[in-house]
Amino acid sequence: MGAALARHSLFFDDRDGIIDRMNEEQIEEYWKRKPFVAFDIRTADGRVYTVDHPDFLSKSRDGRTLYFVTEDDRQTAIAMLHIVALETVNRPTAA
């Protein structure tokens, strides 16, 4: 059973009832961490993208889309609006 080291997720803002989403700074915190620690990106539709190395992720110029490279070298676009959680767990990173 792997214990989570950190987790960010959606939350309800009691002031106006609006659900917040992951922002660019929260994702950069995980993505640019030194030393890098593998993490999962969870989307609203339940998909999970495991980022084992920082080179497997890139960002659009406007910051609204992340591009994830899959294990079979396909590129997947992930809209920042649909990212609901980031999570790091105890596991080895890619070499």
Side-chain angles (χ1 to χ4, degrees):
M1 179 161 106
L5 297 175
R7 182 180 174 99
H8 286 286
S9 63
L10 291 173
F11 64 93
F12 246 143
D13 183 336
D14 292 333
R15 293 169 296 161
D16 55 12
I18 294 174
I19 296 178
D20 198 4
R21 65 174 171 82
M22 292 292 102
N23 64 40
E24 206 170 329
E25 292 79 27
Q26 290 169 311
I27 292 170
E28 294 263 338
E29 179 182 316
Y30 280 75
W31 184 17
K32 305 297 183 182
R33 184 176 289 162
K34 301 280 191 224
F36 180 79
V37 176
F39 66 96
D40 292 335
I41 297 173
R42 297 182 184 276
T43 58
D45 65 0
R47 294 182 193 182
V48 178
Y49 301 91
T50 300
V51 182
D52 288 327
H53 193 281
D55 290 348
F56 298 158
L57 202 58
S58 62
K59 183 175 60 171
S60 65
R61 288 182 185 185
D62 64 11
R64 292 187 288 179
T65 306
L66 289 179
Y67 298 98
F68 173 74
V69 179
T70 64
E71 290 181 5
D72 59 352
D73 260 354
R74 289 181 298 129
Q75 184 170 292
T76 301
I78 307 168
M80 294 277 285
L81 182 63
H82 297 293
I83 298 173
V84 297
L86 302 172
E87 184 176 40
T88 58
V89 294
N90 294 322
R91 66 174 170 251
T93 58

